Short mmCIF file of all heavy atoms in Angstrom, two decimals:
data_model
loop_
_atom_site.label_atom_id
_atom_site.label_comp_id
_atom_site.label_asym_id
_atom_site.label_seq_id
_atom_site.Cartn_x
_atom_site.Cartn_y
_atom_site.Cartn_z
N VAL A 332 7.94 -7.88 10.93
CA VAL A 332 7.93 -7.97 9.45
C VAL A 332 8.60 -6.78 8.84
O VAL A 332 9.25 -6.91 7.79
CB VAL A 332 6.46 -8.09 8.97
CG1 VAL A 332 6.36 -7.94 7.47
CG2 VAL A 332 5.86 -9.43 9.40
N ALA A 333 8.55 -5.60 9.51
CA ALA A 333 9.25 -4.41 9.00
C ALA A 333 10.65 -4.33 9.49
O ALA A 333 11.55 -3.94 8.80
CB ALA A 333 8.45 -3.14 9.33
N ALA A 334 10.90 -4.70 10.79
CA ALA A 334 12.20 -4.55 11.43
C ALA A 334 13.19 -5.60 10.97
O ALA A 334 14.40 -5.31 10.80
CB ALA A 334 12.08 -4.55 12.91
N ALA A 335 12.69 -6.84 10.77
CA ALA A 335 13.66 -7.95 10.41
C ALA A 335 12.98 -8.79 9.35
O ALA A 335 12.57 -9.95 9.61
CB ALA A 335 13.94 -8.76 11.67
N PRO A 336 12.81 -8.21 8.15
CA PRO A 336 12.04 -8.96 7.14
C PRO A 336 12.64 -10.25 6.67
O PRO A 336 11.96 -11.11 6.11
CB PRO A 336 12.00 -7.93 5.94
CG PRO A 336 13.20 -7.02 6.17
CD PRO A 336 13.29 -6.93 7.68
N ASP A 337 13.94 -10.49 6.90
CA ASP A 337 14.61 -11.72 6.49
C ASP A 337 14.64 -12.75 7.63
O ASP A 337 15.21 -13.83 7.45
CB ASP A 337 16.03 -11.40 6.02
CG ASP A 337 16.02 -10.54 4.79
OD1 ASP A 337 15.09 -10.68 3.96
OD2 ASP A 337 16.94 -9.73 4.65
N SER A 338 14.02 -12.47 8.77
CA SER A 338 14.06 -13.37 9.91
C SER A 338 13.09 -14.53 9.75
O SER A 338 12.15 -14.45 8.96
CB SER A 338 13.76 -12.61 11.24
OG SER A 338 12.44 -12.12 11.19
N ALA A 339 13.32 -15.58 10.47
CA ALA A 339 12.41 -16.75 10.44
C ALA A 339 11.02 -16.33 10.92
O ALA A 339 10.00 -16.79 10.44
CB ALA A 339 12.95 -17.89 11.26
N GLU A 340 10.96 -15.49 11.92
CA GLU A 340 9.67 -15.02 12.48
C GLU A 340 8.88 -14.21 11.45
O GLU A 340 7.66 -14.42 11.31
CB GLU A 340 9.87 -14.20 13.73
CG GLU A 340 10.36 -14.97 14.91
CD GLU A 340 11.92 -15.14 14.90
OE1 GLU A 340 12.55 -14.64 13.99
OE2 GLU A 340 12.45 -15.83 15.83
N ALA A 341 9.56 -13.37 10.70
CA ALA A 341 8.89 -12.59 9.67
C ALA A 341 8.38 -13.51 8.53
O ALA A 341 7.23 -13.30 8.03
CB ALA A 341 9.83 -11.53 9.05
N ALA A 342 9.11 -14.52 8.23
CA ALA A 342 8.69 -15.49 7.20
C ALA A 342 7.43 -16.19 7.66
O ALA A 342 6.52 -16.48 6.87
CB ALA A 342 9.80 -16.49 6.91
N THR A 343 7.34 -16.52 8.98
CA THR A 343 6.16 -17.19 9.47
C THR A 343 4.94 -16.27 9.37
O THR A 343 3.85 -16.68 9.02
CB THR A 343 6.38 -17.63 10.94
OG1 THR A 343 7.49 -18.54 10.98
CG2 THR A 343 5.14 -18.28 11.51
N TYR A 344 5.12 -14.98 9.78
CA TYR A 344 4.03 -14.01 9.70
C TYR A 344 3.56 -13.88 8.26
O TYR A 344 2.32 -13.82 7.98
CB TYR A 344 4.43 -12.66 10.22
CG TYR A 344 4.47 -12.55 11.71
CD1 TYR A 344 5.61 -12.16 12.40
CD2 TYR A 344 3.28 -12.76 12.48
CE1 TYR A 344 5.61 -12.05 13.82
CE2 TYR A 344 3.27 -12.64 13.88
CZ TYR A 344 4.42 -12.26 14.52
OH TYR A 344 4.43 -12.15 15.91
N ARG A 345 4.48 -13.82 7.32
CA ARG A 345 4.13 -13.71 5.92
C ARG A 345 3.35 -14.95 5.42
O ARG A 345 2.39 -14.83 4.66
CB ARG A 345 5.34 -13.45 5.06
CG ARG A 345 5.95 -12.07 5.18
CD ARG A 345 6.92 -11.75 4.07
NE ARG A 345 8.05 -12.66 4.05
CZ ARG A 345 9.18 -12.54 4.69
NH1 ARG A 345 9.37 -11.47 5.44
NH2 ARG A 345 10.14 -13.41 4.60
N ALA A 346 3.83 -16.11 5.84
CA ALA A 346 3.15 -17.36 5.42
C ALA A 346 1.69 -17.40 6.00
O ALA A 346 0.79 -17.78 5.29
CB ALA A 346 3.92 -18.56 5.88
N ILE A 347 1.52 -16.96 7.21
CA ILE A 347 0.22 -16.91 7.84
C ILE A 347 -0.71 -15.91 7.12
O ILE A 347 -1.86 -16.22 6.74
CB ILE A 347 0.27 -16.58 9.33
CG1 ILE A 347 0.98 -17.71 10.11
CG2 ILE A 347 -1.09 -16.29 9.91
CD1 ILE A 347 1.29 -17.38 11.53
N ALA A 348 -0.15 -14.73 6.84
CA ALA A 348 -0.92 -13.71 6.14
C ALA A 348 -1.34 -14.21 4.75
O ALA A 348 -2.48 -13.93 4.31
CB ALA A 348 -0.08 -12.41 6.00
N ARG A 349 -0.46 -14.92 4.06
CA ARG A 349 -0.77 -15.44 2.70
C ARG A 349 -1.89 -16.44 2.80
O ARG A 349 -2.80 -16.43 2.01
CB ARG A 349 0.47 -16.02 2.10
CG ARG A 349 0.27 -16.39 0.57
CD ARG A 349 1.59 -16.87 -0.01
NE ARG A 349 2.68 -15.93 0.15
CZ ARG A 349 3.76 -16.17 0.88
NH1 ARG A 349 4.00 -17.35 1.39
NH2 ARG A 349 4.73 -15.26 0.99
N ARG A 350 -1.85 -17.32 3.82
CA ARG A 350 -2.94 -18.30 3.97
C ARG A 350 -4.24 -17.64 4.25
O ARG A 350 -5.31 -18.09 3.76
CB ARG A 350 -2.57 -19.30 5.06
CG ARG A 350 -1.34 -20.20 4.77
CD ARG A 350 -1.18 -21.28 5.78
NE ARG A 350 -2.31 -22.22 5.85
CZ ARG A 350 -2.37 -23.24 6.67
NH1 ARG A 350 -1.38 -23.44 7.54
NH2 ARG A 350 -3.41 -24.07 6.68
N ILE A 351 -4.20 -16.55 5.05
CA ILE A 351 -5.45 -15.87 5.36
C ILE A 351 -6.00 -15.22 4.03
O ILE A 351 -7.21 -15.34 3.74
CB ILE A 351 -5.18 -14.77 6.40
CG1 ILE A 351 -4.90 -15.42 7.74
CG2 ILE A 351 -6.37 -13.86 6.48
CD1 ILE A 351 -4.42 -14.46 8.79
N ALA A 352 -5.12 -14.57 3.30
CA ALA A 352 -5.59 -13.94 2.03
C ALA A 352 -6.12 -14.96 1.06
O ALA A 352 -7.10 -14.68 0.36
CB ALA A 352 -4.42 -13.14 1.41
N VAL A 353 -5.49 -16.10 0.95
CA VAL A 353 -5.99 -17.18 0.04
C VAL A 353 -7.35 -17.67 0.53
O VAL A 353 -8.26 -17.84 -0.33
CB VAL A 353 -4.98 -18.32 -0.01
CG1 VAL A 353 -5.58 -19.53 -0.67
CG2 VAL A 353 -3.70 -17.91 -0.79
N LYS A 354 -7.55 -17.82 1.81
CA LYS A 354 -8.85 -18.27 2.28
C LYS A 354 -9.93 -17.27 2.03
O LYS A 354 -11.04 -17.64 1.64
CB LYS A 354 -8.78 -18.59 3.78
CG LYS A 354 -8.02 -19.87 4.14
CD LYS A 354 -8.05 -20.16 5.65
CE LYS A 354 -9.41 -20.58 6.13
NZ LYS A 354 -9.90 -21.82 5.57
N VAL A 355 -9.59 -15.99 2.12
CA VAL A 355 -10.55 -14.95 1.78
C VAL A 355 -10.87 -15.02 0.33
O VAL A 355 -12.04 -14.88 -0.08
CB VAL A 355 -10.04 -13.55 2.24
CG1 VAL A 355 -10.90 -12.43 1.66
CG2 VAL A 355 -9.97 -13.43 3.72
N ALA A 356 -9.84 -15.14 -0.53
CA ALA A 356 -10.11 -15.18 -1.98
C ALA A 356 -10.90 -16.33 -2.39
O ALA A 356 -11.62 -16.20 -3.42
CB ALA A 356 -8.66 -15.21 -2.64
N GLU A 357 -10.87 -17.42 -1.69
CA GLU A 357 -11.60 -18.61 -2.08
C GLU A 357 -13.06 -18.58 -1.59
O GLU A 357 -13.85 -19.42 -1.99
CB GLU A 357 -10.87 -19.89 -1.52
CG GLU A 357 -9.57 -20.15 -2.23
CD GLU A 357 -8.89 -21.40 -1.64
OE1 GLU A 357 -9.11 -21.73 -0.47
OE2 GLU A 357 -8.08 -21.98 -2.39
N GLN A 358 -13.40 -17.60 -0.79
CA GLN A 358 -14.80 -17.44 -0.41
C GLN A 358 -15.58 -16.89 -1.60
O GLN A 358 -15.02 -16.21 -2.46
CB GLN A 358 -14.95 -16.47 0.78
CG GLN A 358 -14.39 -17.02 2.04
CD GLN A 358 -14.59 -16.03 3.22
OE1 GLN A 358 -15.23 -15.03 3.03
NE2 GLN A 358 -14.11 -16.35 4.41
N ALA A 359 -16.90 -17.16 -1.62
CA ALA A 359 -17.71 -16.63 -2.70
C ALA A 359 -17.77 -15.11 -2.53
O ALA A 359 -17.66 -14.60 -1.41
CB ALA A 359 -19.11 -17.21 -2.59
#
Side-chain angles (χ1 to χ4, degrees):
V332 171
D337 297 327
S338 65
E340 291 82 3
T343 300
Y344 281 123
R345 287 195 300 271
I347 292 171
R349 190 176 304 118
R350 290 187 66 180
I351 291 169
V353 167
K354 286 184 69 67
V355 169
E357 290 179 335
Q358 292 182 4

